[in-house]
């Protein structure tokens, strides 16, 4: 069962970790490339801030973004800002998201995200947690997939395997981590079942498009290329 209050607390903790780590940067390093192709660290920080605003929109019943073009333009606009402005924006937008989440609300209601995707309102804090945790890794400042909280990794694998379930380009897949936990996904294409095993950090990295799967072992077929998220 989704516990939105617990997830809101986890978002607060993850945001504090990110802000503390990013505070050690300087203006020059903010302008350097992140681990995301074509994005500087400034782009990543700007996206984290604008995503908080967007999820406030979702919780308050407005469109998540005015348009995909407006979303991208806002990130490009904000990316070159100096470090102190970036950190203040992340902090203030995060506080706005937390305040919105702390208000009494019907958390069982359905909300709309991007591209017509809908979800239960109670899952929005976890979606925010995904953004904060994975983009902290994307900054490339010493926080790695192996540093992610174990419960978050398990839930993110749950989330992503559910998202890829039945996908028309993927054979049936069974994923097993180094603790013996298993997930099934894919199954919309011929072939398989392919057994994929490896450390949980590498599984979540592969599913989330942060690692190429080289550390994973596939039997029963080749490790497939995952479609974009």
């Amino acid at each position: 069962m989704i516990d939105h209050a617990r997830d809101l607390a986890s978002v607060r903790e993850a945001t504090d970790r990110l802000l503390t780590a990013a505070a050690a940067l300087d203006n020059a390093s903010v302008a350097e490339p992140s681990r995301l192709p074509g994005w500087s660290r400034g782009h990543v920080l700007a996206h984290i801030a604008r995503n908080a605003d967007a999820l406030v929109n979702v919780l308050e019943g407005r469109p998540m973004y005015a348009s995909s073009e407006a979303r991208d333009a806002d990130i490009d606009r904000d990316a070159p800002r100096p470090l102190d402005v970036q950190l203040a924006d992340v902090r203030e937008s995060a506080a706005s998201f937390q305040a919105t989440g702390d208000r009494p609300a019907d958390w069982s209601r359905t909300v709309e995200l991007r591209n017509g995707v809908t979800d239960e309102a109670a899952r929005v804090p976890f979606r925010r947690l995904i953004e904060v945790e994975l983009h902290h890794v994307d900054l490339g400042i010493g926080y790695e997939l192996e540093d992610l909280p174990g419960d978050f990794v398990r839930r993110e694998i749950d989330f992503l395997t559910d998202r890829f379930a039945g996908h028309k380009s993927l054979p049936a897949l069974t994923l097993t981590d180094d603790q013996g936990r298993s997930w099934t996904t894919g199954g919309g294409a011929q072939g398989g079942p392919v057994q994929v095993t490896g450390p949980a950090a590498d599984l979540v990295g592969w599913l989330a498009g942060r690692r190429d799967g080289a550390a994973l072992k596939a039997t029963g077929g080749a490790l497939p290329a995952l479609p974009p998220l």
Side-chain angles (χ1 to χ4, degrees):
M1 184 175 180
I2 297 294
D3 184 342
H4 73 274
R6 182 191 68 173
D7 287 341
L8 283 167
S10 295
V11 170
R12 185 179 293 108
E13 293 166 2
T15 303
D16 287 346
R17 283 196 298 273
L18 184 150
L19 285 167
T20 297
L25 299 173
D26 56 27
N27 290 337
S29 54
V30 168
E32 292 173 352
S34 74
R35 291 175 172 174
L36 293 178
W39 272 18
S40 68
R41 292 192 178 106
H43 283 88
V44 175
L45 291 170
H47 169 61
I48 292 168
R50 300 288 70 78
N51 173 262
D53 293 342
L55 291 178
V56 169
N57 288 339
V58 167
L59 290 175
E60 294 185 344
R62 296 186 295 274
M64 186 170 181
Y65 296 101
S67 66
S68 294
E69 293 78 14
R71 168 190 176 273
D72 295 345
D74 286 349
I75 294 170
D76 286 340
R77 177 199 66 205
D78 294 342
R81 299 175 303 176
L83 176 64
D84 60 339
V85 178
Q86 296 278 16
L87 296 182
D89 191 16
V90 171
R91 186 178 297 108
E92 291 164 10
S93 58
S96 177
F97 175 76
Q98 292 287 341
T100 302
D102 286 340
R103 295 182 194 132
D106 174 12
W107 287 96
S108 66
R109 72 191 187 280
T110 298
V111 295
E112 184 171 343
L113 295 108
R114 292 182 70 195
N115 304 319
V117 173
T118 59
D119 204 349
E120 187 178 349
R123 288 170 63 89
V124 171
F126 183 68
R127 286 178 175 271
R128 175 60 179 173
L129 184 59
I130 293 170
E131 295 289 327
V132 176
E133 290 285 24
L134 292 185
H135 287 313
H136 190 169
V137 174
D138 294 334
L139 287 170
I141 55 177
Y143 191 67
E144 304 296 339
L145 294 170
E146 287 77 9
D147 298 316
L148 294 169
D151 183 64
F152 169 78
V153 171
R154 175 189 61 78
R155 291 180 63 197
E156 175 66 344
I157 295 175
D158 289 344
F159 181 83
L160 292 170
T161 51
D162 182 66
R163 189 164 178 174
F164 288 128
H167 198 284
K168 63 183 181 180
S169 70
L170 294 175
L173 299 168
T174 298
L175 280 55
T176 304
D177 71 6
D178 46 2
Q179 298 184 43
R181 297 174 297 194
S182 292
W183 298 261
T184 58
T185 192
Q190 293 184 344
V194 179
Q195 309 289 330
V196 181
T197 58
D202 285 295
L203 287 173
V204 78
W206 177 61
L207 289 167
R210 267 66 180 184
R211 289 186 180 169
D212 62 8
L216 302 175
K217 179 181 179 182
T219 57
L223 186 71
L226 293 174
L229 288 170

